[in-house]
């Protein structure tokens, strides 16, 4: 889907935020639809063991009212943190709605976390109650010894009998709590811990209004969701993104429920086969597929529409640069022009594309979404000339001088880190109000951003500045490469060499001949100094639970091999 009309400037000029003084995510995403369209499907759920079903908005609201009564009886009130450690399942959505109804703070945690990771977050946040299913109950029970403030564990599903309360029994034993707490738009709603390259994870405290701040980007990246012109099928959304993270929660679950439409909850491992089967079965029209998922799907099915009946009309991708190979495959094989998006937990959904309303440029992060003032700034907080690399930053005020609701409240109990996130002299209008993302990019003359890498992923080799994503995307174009990560390898003469870790596609063997072929492949397409001087084949790249490559792990490996201290 492409368009010859560029409406980007007009959309920005005509856009105004409408943020009410009082706003609650649960009321906006569930309660109002339970009244207006009670029988509409909120969640289609499917388990990899073959079980599946659906839940309406009325049923979602009824469960949320009962769970909020259970939580209140256990002392949960305004501002209290409640951990939610579950995958994509109905109870996860219910838990979020119930917590918001109480004015409490939902703290989603990945089911992949081990005991130490859970213990740190539970203890640091002061969570008083945790809701957990069979996927994480063992790790949480091990972590609990280090969390004296955790008073109650509510066990879900097959975890029944391993906590203080069982979900089914607890909900059946209470009268529904009909009345919700009245929250302001600025009240805290979500606490999500983000992992940086140094130091312990920081808890980003997200207000209710941030969901509103996400909506312009969500609507644009999903080609005017839910009202795509000329569309036939009713919108159905699915994403493999874990609801424990910003990508799954704020880019999928909550915005879909905000619009009163159905989302598919898949409780199982991601595989290309499962992804295509889900999209066919549930007639999925909109999706968020991160680059690693798209790469796997591309390698598995070069021509998926020969086998699968797909109804896709919008796909958003984020987390890493997609690259022109995946962009072209999505366009040609899936019939959808990919809308790349950029954001982070603290300031989410701020930059991206909307193929319906402005031309996509393959490889670009896109432009600022309506309502967000975005720039590339230097170390002093001043906007860089177009074409000059700098730090992507978002201003507290939009282009009309009004507050942007997308901003987080701050890092949990870490005022120093919150202050460091912002730049400039508050007394200087030229530099005040910018929030740095820590990502390096170049903005072109038309306002498109071109990703260079995390500021801490950039490195110099033989005096040249290297952005790993460009080299990685070039490598992935080769049929032998399923995925790749590029890092510096210490070198006494040049400071560093460009090294690539490569995951092979099925049917290929990593030998000297392939190393040479891959080097020639990159050398012929990029600058001479960018090709990898060394290639190491690896079974799998270290990844975060949100699908981002952990280049820092590989950088540390190279430092250790060279006998050098960690940077």
């Amino acid at each position: 889907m492409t368009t010859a009309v560029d409406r980007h400037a007009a959309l920005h000029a005509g856009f105004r935020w409408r943020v009410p003084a009082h706003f609650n995510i649960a009321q906006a995403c569930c309660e109002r639809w339970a009244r207006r369209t009670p029988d509409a499907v909120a969640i289609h759920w499917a388990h990899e063991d073959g079980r599946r079903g659906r839940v309406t908005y009325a049923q979602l609201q009824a469960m949320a009212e009962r769970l909020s009564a259970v939580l209140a009886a256990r002392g949960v009130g305004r501002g209290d943190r409640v951990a939610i450690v579950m995958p994509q399942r109905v109870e996860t959505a219910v838990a979020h709605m119930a917590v918001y109804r109480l004015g409490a703070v939902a703290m989603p945690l990945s089911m992949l976390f081990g005991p130490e990771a859970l213990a740190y977050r539970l203890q640091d946040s002061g969570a008083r109650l945790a809701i957990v299913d069979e996927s994480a109950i063992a790790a949480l029970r091990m972590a609990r010894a280090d969390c004296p403030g955790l008073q109650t564990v509510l066990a879900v599903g097959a975890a029944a009998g391993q906590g203080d309360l069982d979900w089914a029994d607890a909900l059946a034993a209470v009268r529904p709590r009909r009345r919700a707490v009245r929250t302001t738009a600025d009240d805290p709603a979500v606490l999500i811990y983000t992992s940086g390259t140094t130091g312990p994870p920081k808890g980003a405290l997200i207000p209710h209004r941030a969901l509103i701040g996400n909506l312009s980007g969500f609507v644009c990246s999903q080609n005017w969701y839910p009202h795509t012109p000329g569309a036939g099928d009713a919108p159905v959304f699915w994403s493999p993104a874990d609801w424990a993270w910003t990508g799954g929660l704020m880019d999928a679950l909550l915005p879909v429920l905000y619009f009163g439409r159905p989302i598919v909850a898949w409780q199982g491992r991601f595989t290309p086969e499962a992804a295509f089967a889900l999209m066919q079965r549930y007639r999925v029209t909109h999706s968020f597929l991160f680059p690693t998922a798209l790469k796997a799907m591309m390698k598995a099915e070069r021509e998926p529409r020969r086998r699968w009946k797909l109804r896709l009309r919008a796909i958003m991708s984020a987390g890493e640069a997609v690259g022109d190979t995946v962009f072209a495959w999505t366009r040609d094989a899936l019939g959808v022009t990919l809308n790349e998006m950029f954001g982070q937990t603290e300031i989410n959904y701020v930059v991206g594309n909307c193929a319906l309303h402005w031309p996509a440029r393959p490889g670009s992060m896109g432009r600022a979404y309506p309502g967000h003032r975005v720039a590339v700034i230097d170390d002093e907080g001043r906007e860089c000339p177009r074409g000059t690399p700098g730090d992507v930053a978002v201003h507290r005020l939009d282009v009309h001088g009004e507050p942007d609701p997308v901003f987080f409240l701050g890092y949990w109990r870490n005022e120093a880190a919150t202050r460091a996130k912002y730049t400039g002299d508050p007394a200087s209008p030229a530099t005040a109000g910018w929030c740095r993302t820590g990502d390096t990019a170049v903005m072109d003359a038309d306002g498109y951003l071109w990703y260079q890498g995390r500021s801490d992923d950039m490195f110099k080799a033989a005096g040249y500045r290297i952005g790993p994503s460009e080299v990685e995307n070039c490598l992935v174009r080769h049929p032998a490469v399923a995925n790749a990560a590029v890092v510096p390898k210490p070198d006494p003469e040049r400071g560093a060499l460009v090294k690539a870790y490569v995951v092979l596609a099925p049917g290929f063997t990593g030998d000297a001949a392939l190393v040479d072929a891959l080097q020639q492949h990159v050398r012929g397409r990029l600058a001479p100094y960018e090709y990898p001087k060394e290639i190491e084949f690896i079974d799998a790249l270290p990844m975060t639970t949100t699908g981002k490559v952990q280049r820092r792990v590989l950088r540390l490996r190279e430092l250790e091999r060279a006998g050098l201290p960690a940077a």
Side-chain angles (χ1 to χ4, degrees):
M1 183 184 297
T2 58
T3 177
V5 178
D6 187 346
R7 299 190 61 237
H8 185 262
L11 289 171
H12 266 275
F15 185 87
R16 292 293 192 279
W17 291 112
R18 295 180 180 176
V19 182
H22 290 88
F23 179 75
N24 184 279
I25 292 174
Q27 191 282 325
C29 294
C30 186
E31 184 178 332
R32 64 171 172 153
W33 300 117
R35 293 197 307 265
R36 297 179 188 179
T37 56
D39 297 328
V41 175
I43 301 173
H44 294 284
W45 63 269
H47 195 286
E48 61 184 356
D49 64 10
R51 291 178 290 137
R52 59 180 184 265
R54 63 180 63 180
V55 170
T56 66
Y57 276 94
Q59 291 170 328
L60 186 64
Q61 176 68 13
M63 285 186 283
E65 289 177 354
R66 287 188 175 274
L67 180 57
S68 60
V70 172
L71 300 181
R74 285 283 167 157
V76 175
R78 188 185 290 270
D80 289 330
R81 279 74 61 205
V82 176
I84 302 172
V85 201
M86 294 186 289
Q88 292 186 4
R89 58 185 300 163
V90 170
E91 291 88 346
T92 306
V94 172
H96 276 276
M97 297 302 113
V99 171
Y100 304 143
R101 296 184 80 250
L102 293 174
V105 177
M107 184 174 68
L109 297 173
S110 172
M111 61 181 180
L112 301 178
F113 282 152
E116 288 188 11
L118 287 173
Y120 174 80
R121 290 159 175 81
L122 291 167
Q123 184 69 356
D124 184 69
S125 67
R128 66 182 304 157
L129 188 144
I131 306 173
V132 59
D133 74 350
E134 62 273 13
S135 66
I137 186 65
L140 188 134
R141 291 181 68 182
M142 293 176 65
R144 193 173 186 182
D146 297 322
C147 306
L150 184 61
Q151 300 171 6
T152 305
V153 173
L154 178 59
V156 178
Q162 301 180 63
D164 303 305
L165 291 173
D166 289 341
W167 176 281
D169 294 340
L171 266 63
V174 297
R175 297 181 63 183
R177 185 184 177 97
R178 305 291 189 191
R179 181 172 295 181
V181 170
R182 193 168 188 234
T183 57
T184 71
D186 284 323
D187 281 342
V190 186
L191 182 63
I192 298 182
Y193 277 80
T194 63
S195 296
T197 54
T198 59
K202 300 188 293 291
L205 193 59
I206 312 298
H208 286 269
R209 61 168 160 75
L211 175 58
I212 297 175
N214 276 246
L215 293 179
S216 67
F218 178 78
V219 169
C220 286
S221 74
Q222 296 296 336
N223 288 337
W224 233 240
Y225 182 96
H227 305 297
T228 304
D233 292 312
V236 178
F237 194 100
W238 171 72
S239 172
D242 188 347
W243 292 352
W245 295 103
T246 304
L249 183 66
M250 303 297 287
D251 302 354
L253 177 64
L254 294 183
V256 170
L257 297 182
Y258 177 89
F259 285 106
R261 305 297 172 142
I263 189 170
V264 178
W266 168 242
Q267 196 174 341
R269 295 175 300 108
F270 172 85
T271 64
E273 180 86 9
F276 286 120
L278 281 169
M279 290 192 291
Q280 176 176 278
R281 174 182 296 155
Y282 292 103
R283 306 169 73 94
V284 171
T285 58
H286 297 78
S287 186
F288 162 28
L289 294 168
F290 34 81
T292 51
L294 286 168
K295 289 174 186 176
M297 294 166 71
M298 179 181 69
K299 296 293 181 179
E301 296 273 6
R302 285 290 179 178
E303 297 181 318
R305 287 188 290 179
R306 287 182 175 272
R307 179 183 175 192
W308 305 98
K309 187 174 182 180
L310 303 177
R311 296 169 175 82
L312 290 164
R313 56 181 186 254
I315 300 175
M316 182 273 280
S317 190
E320 294 276 335
V322 169
D324 53 7
T325 302
V326 176
F327 185 94
W329 174 80
T330 307
R331 179 195 62 213
D332 300 337
L334 298 181
V336 175
T337 298
L338 191 69
N339 287 324
E340 293 195 61
M341 185 276 282
F342 169 81
Q344 54 183 202
T345 300
E346 299 89 338
I347 37 174
N348 187 45
Y349 240 129
V350 290
V351 168
N353 274 308
C354 177
L356 189 67
H357 288 305
W358 62 83
R361 294 186 179 176
S364 166
M365 296 160 61
R367 294 154 142 177
Y369 281 128
H372 307 300
R373 179 185 167 194
V374 178
V376 172
I377 63 175
D378 60 21
D379 292 342
E380 285 71 44
R382 299 187 180 279
E383 295 189 40
C384 298
R386 297 296 173 96
T388 303
D391 202 347
V392 179
V394 185
H395 204 277
R396 283 183 178 274
L397 304 180
D398 66 12
V399 295
H400 303 292
E402 299 296 326
D404 185 338
V406 81
F407 282 83
F408 76 136
L409 295 170
Y411 292 115
W412 180 254
R413 295 176 179 171
N414 195 337
E415 292 183 8
T418 303
R419 287 194 301 271
K421 186 71 175 171
Y422 295 88
T423 193
D425 180 0
S428 170
T431 62
W434 290 110
C435 184
R436 293 182 181 272
T437 65
D439 289 272
T440 300
V442 170
M443 182 179 285
D444 67 20
D446 297 317
Y448 287 85
L449 288 163
W450 300 84
Y451 188 70
Q452 304 288 296
R454 285 292 298 172
S455 299
D456 42 29
D457 281 337
M458 304 288 289
F459 64 93
K460 284 190 174 182
Y464 293 100
R465 189 169 173 83
I466 306 295
S469 61
E470 185 176 30
V471 184
E472 293 163 358
N473 291 332
C474 186
L475 283 165
V476 170
R477 292 180 210 148
H478 193 283
V481 179
N483 210 347
V486 169
V487 297
K489 177 181 179 177
D491 181 81
E493 294 183 3
R494 307 181 195 182
L497 299 176
V498 179
K499 176 168 181 177
Y501 283 86
V502 168
V503 178
L504 291 174
F508 289 89
T509 301
D511 53 21
L514 183 56
V515 168
D516 183 67
L518 293 177
Q519 288 175 327
Q520 296 302 325
H521 172 78
V522 177
R523 185 186 281 122
R525 290 164 173 79
L526 301 181
Y529 56 83
E530 289 184 286
Y531 88 92
K533 308 298 188 295
E534 183 175 314
I535 294 177
E536 180 174 335
F537 298 106
I538 189 171
D539 292 335
L541 297 176
M543 309 285 286
T544 68
T545 52
T546 57
K548 296 180 182 179
V549 178
Q550 291 181 305
R551 297 186 187 88
R552 177 171 170 77
V553 173
L554 301 175
R555 290 176 72 138
L556 290 174
R557 181 182 301 181
E558 293 302 319
L559 289 171
E560 183 179 352
R561 288 175 175 176
L564 298 173

